[in-house]
């Protein structure tokens, strides 16, 4: 089996990167991480990659005259490393349409809400304010619109009485660390078929429901 080569873009602590590194440490996982790029120097994600023996690159966005120029530099590094799939893991920069287009159906992102609800930032605060009973995370293919694109995997968690944003974020994050490797596996195995804004795959959860509060 040839493993798909993956590049991960990060800007921060990198706990989702860690989940991907851990999954890829198993030689039977269909993807290997060959490069981690950060736009911010000295973030913890870079240490995680180094500890796993994965090459890292810092490309500070501030040094570039335009978004396109910065993206072109990332693209050059990804292509040079033979990357076939790009994972955004807490990468806090908007990407130019050209870059997104050139990685169409080969770039995924994890977002801390059940999309299409709560695109953008502060998702946990907004979920609590809206009185949601279920919240969660989504892994989706990246399209030019922010937090949009065909959905690959979603995981739901209950919003519990007395939750604050931090408690809810921690509950969601635990699921992110399972959902992201699962989505990468499905994509790397070629199990994802995209038509329009929907991704279809031969994989599903057993029938059942998560009901909160319990009936
Ligand atoms: C995660 O909550 C992810 O869903 C969002 O940014 C956060 C990154 O966390 N896109 P980490 O850097 O992976 O720990």
């Amino acid at each position: 089996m040839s493993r798909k080569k993956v590049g991960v873009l990060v800007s921060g602590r990198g706990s989702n990167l860690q989940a991907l590194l851990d999954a890829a440490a198993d030689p039977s996982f269909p993807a290997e991480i060959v490069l981690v790029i950060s736009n911010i120097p000295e973030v913890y994600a870079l240490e995680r990659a180094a500890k796993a023996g994965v090459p890292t690159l810092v490309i500070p966005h501030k040094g570039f005259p335009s978004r396109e120029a910065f993206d072109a530099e990332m693209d050059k590094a990804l292509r040079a490393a033979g990357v076939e799939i790009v994972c955004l893991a807490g990468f806090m920069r908007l990407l130019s349409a050209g870059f997104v287009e050139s990685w169409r159906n080969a770039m995924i992102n994890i977002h801390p809400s059940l999309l299409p609800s709560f695109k953008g930032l502060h998702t946990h605060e907004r979920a609590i304010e809206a009185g949601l009973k279920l919240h969660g995370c989504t892994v989706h293919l990246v399209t030019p619109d922010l937090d949009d694109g065909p959905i690959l995997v979603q995981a739901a968690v209950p919003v519990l009485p007395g939750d604050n944003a931090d408690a809810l974020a921690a509950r969601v994050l635990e699921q992110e660390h399972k959902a992201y490797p699962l989505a990468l596996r499905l994509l790397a195995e070629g199990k994802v078929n995209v038509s329009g804004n929907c991704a279809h795959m031969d994989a599903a959860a057993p029938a059942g429901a998560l009901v909160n509060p319990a009936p």
Side-chain angles (χ1 to χ4, degrees), residues 12-17 89-90 92 109-112 124 173 176-177:
R13 71 185 163 182
S15 71
N16 279 290
L17 166 66
M92 300 304 284
N109 178 46
I110 184 148
H111 181 75
H124 308 301
L173 195 63
E176 292 186 35
H177 298 159

Side-chain angles (χ1 to χ4, degrees), residues 189-210:
E189 284 175 341
K191 291 204 171 133
V192 175
N193 290 303
V194 180
S195 76
N197 202 39
C198 292
H200 303 280
M201 59 205 86
D202 291 333
L210 172 59

Side-chain angles (χ1 to χ4, degrees), residues 10-19 45 48 88-92 109-113 121 123-124 136-138 147 169 172-173 176-177 180:
V10 298
S11 301
R13 71 185 163 182
S15 71
N16 279 290
L17 166 66
Q18 189 67 57
R48 295 181 191 267
L88 307 180
F91 183 68
M92 300 304 284
N109 178 46
I110 184 148
H111 181 75
S113 76
L121 298 174
T123 56
H124 308 301
C137 62
T138 303
D147 300 329
V172 171
L173 195 63
E176 292 186 35
H177 298 159
Y180 213 175

